[in-house]
Amino acid sequence: MVAQKFTFEVTLDSDEFVKVEDHLFTTHESLLREEPKIYLIGKGCLRILKEFEDQLTMKSLNEWMLLSRALDQTCGFETAWDDRKILQELVTGRDHPVSWYAHNCKAVS
């Protein structure tokens, strides 16, 4: 069996994706089959990431995803999180324990 590398080109409107380093986050599920560095996200999540697009790194994005899971698991599903505030803390390099985020990043309804 011989491995082959394929290159493809895709055109997306600027409101359909966020590029972080050499990774692409988009709402287009069909692209997931094309490239391992493409990730499916929801439209609400995409809007939030667009606000921080020039400041994001894969490190901060991975921390945000792990932190979101940790907050959901430790604090219950009835609690909503202010992802903008969480991302702001992460992209500015502030280091907090999960408990700080649970106390300070609840979404205001």
Side-chain angles (χ1 to χ4, degrees):
M1 187 168 187
V2 176
Q4 295 183 8
K5 182 175 181 177
F6 296 95
T7 303
F8 69 97
E9 189 173 312
V10 63
T11 302
L12 297 171
D13 290 334
S14 63
D15 62 344
E16 297 177 318
F17 72 95
V18 170
K19 187 172 182 202
V20 179
E21 296 170 3
D22 61 345
H23 298 263
L24 185 68
F25 293 80
T26 182
T27 57
H28 290 281
E29 186 173 358
S30 62
L31 294 177
L32 296 178
R33 296 185 306 265
E34 307 297 334
E35 170 63 43
K37 291 184 179 180
I38 296 179
Y39 306 89
L40 182 65
I41 58 173
K43 289 181 181 183
C45 186
L46 180 64
R47 279 191 296 273
I48 294 167
L49 293 180
K50 286 300 261 182
E51 294 177 30
F52 297 96
E53 187 169 15
D54 296 332
Q55 303 168 54
L56 292 172
T57 63
M58 281 308 295
K59 181 180 185 248
S60 64
L61 211 49
N62 285 330
E63 288 177 5
W64 172 62
M65 289 186 284
L66 288 171
L67 186 55
S68 293
R69 285 186 201 117
L71 289 169
D72 287 344
Q73 290 177 356
T74 59
C75 300
F77 293 108
E78 70 280 353
T79 307
W81 306 106
D82 184 347
D83 288 310
R84 284 177 185 85
K85 184 168 184 169
I86 292 171
L87 281 168
Q88 182 65 46
E89 295 295 311
L90 292 172
V91 299
T92 56
R94 295 186 186 108
D95 191 24
H96 303 293
V98 174
S99 59
W100 184 92
Y101 289 98
H103 182 71
N104 291 288
C105 294
K106 290 184 181 172
V108 178
S109 298

